[in-house]
Amino acid sequence: MQQKLTIGMLSKQSDVKVETIRYYERSGLLPIPTRSASGYRYYDGEDVKRLRFIRRGRSLGFGLEEIRSLLQLADQPQQPCHEADQLVQAHLAEVDAKIRDLQAIRNVLEQLAGCQSQTAAHCRLLEALEERVCCSTR
Amino acid sequence: MQQKLTIGMLSKQSDVKVETIRYYERSGLLPIPTRSASGYRYYDGEDVKRLRFIRRGRSLGFGLEEIRSLLQLADQPQQPCHEADQLVQAHLAEVDAKIRDLQAIRNVLEQLAGCQSQTAAHCRLLEALEERVCCSTR
DNA sequence: CTTGACCCTGTAGTCACTACAGGGTTTAGC
DNA sequence: GCTAAACCCTGTAGTGACTACAGGGTCAAG
Ligand SMILES: [Zn+2]
Ligand SMILES: [Zn+2]
Ligand SMILES: [Zn+2]
Ligand SMILES: [Zn+2]
């Protein structure tokens, strides 16, 4: 019952690009696949699952090394999941910090948007970058 | 009145690392500096200003190519600042999009935090990544 | 039998740095 | 005058997570 998927089919089923799949193989995140006589990679349903796992982890912003740990853990259901929970906590904190940084940037950019100057001499952005105290500073 | 700063002094005054200053020079963002007899780079107050300009641009999330345009514009005060204003608008939209993505991630991570499972078999994160419909799905 | 879609390997490019390795120079203290 | 620390130089390679070729081989439809 093992369906033989080529890398292109796996790509479509997992929504991961062909080049990226080969990259994950090189990185050791995917098992070395069987090959056809002519050297084509063959995959099955397990590979689809594993790749979708990776894709979802990536879309939550986990790095490949973190995902490597999570894959290992997923293969050992009776192990404690402490490590996974720690990754979630740490990653949540990271994401929060990034959001705060971006909010701060956003606030500055909003002030700089809608410049009325027309010329560079008193452009809001340029005055800000030059730390020039001038018309746009208020 | 040209103070002669070494790269280390420039680094301190601009809050940009020595290696990064050399990288910016290679990238053409900083003018080629004069040198001492023994080959040490010498900088002056103009370089401090330029480097601080770059640093502030980076801290707002602009890329080096964008900063290159902005530096050029800052050198020609009578030019229209349309391009700078467009960069602000485009960058603001980008930042907003990133914040939205991160908020979405944050919401998912918050659901996954505080896993009570103890074992990997029913860990909230792993169930989510495996797209498994189980206890943590509700 | 040819065309086009697919597959292969290997390498290099992206971005903005960062980290050496392997040297030379300057400065302060003794 | 000597030595050690702190500074400076060039050039190269590494980071993360891909992405983009170049230069080939394979396969299925018409
Ligand atoms: Zn303007
Ligand atoms: Zn002004
Ligand atoms: Zn858990
Ligand atoms: Zn469960």
Side-chain angles (χ1 to χ4, degrees), chain B residues 1 4 83 89 91 93 97 99 102 107 114 116 118 130 134:
Chain B
M1 254 326 64
K4 280 184 179 175
E83 198 186 337
Q89 293 291 343
H91 195 49
I99 289 173
L102 287 174
N107 290 341
Q116 305 291 333
Q118 251 73 352
E130 289 172 356
C134 193

Side-chain angles (χ1 to χ4, degrees), chain A residues 121-122 127 132 134-136:
Chain A
H122 296 280
E127 290 191 354
R132 202 142 42 86
C134 193
C135 54
S136 73

Side-chain angles (χ1 to χ4, degrees), chain B residues 26-86:
Chain B
R26 277 203 306 284
S27 309
L29 288 177
L30 290 177
I32 290 163
T34 57
R35 300 270 187 152
S36 76
S38 61
Y40 284 22
R41 289 167 178 83
Y42 280 151
Y43 297 98
D44 61 21
E46 278 307 298
D47 296 308
V48 178
K49 278 189 197 167
R50 197 172 174 91
L51 203 42
R52 292 175 69 88
F53 184 107
I54 297 171
R55 194 184 57 67
R56 279 188 294 272
R58 287 292 298 132
S59 75
L60 288 179
F62 289 104
L64 295 186
E65 286 314 309
E66 291 170 321
I67 289 170
R68 190 193 304 278
S69 307
L70 293 171
L71 280 167
Q72 245 184 329
L73 211 54
D75 281 344
Q76 308 184 320
Q78 75 288 3
Q79 285 282 106
C81 66
H82 185 59
E83 198 186 337
D85 300 343
Q86 266 188 336

Side-chain angles (χ1 to χ4, degrees), chain B residues 100-112:
Chain B
R100 273 196 304 277
D101 286 356
L102 287 174
Q103 294 277 19
I105 288 176
R106 205 213 104 89
N107 290 341
V108 176
L109 288 175
E110 207 172 24
Q111 297 290 323
L112 300 177

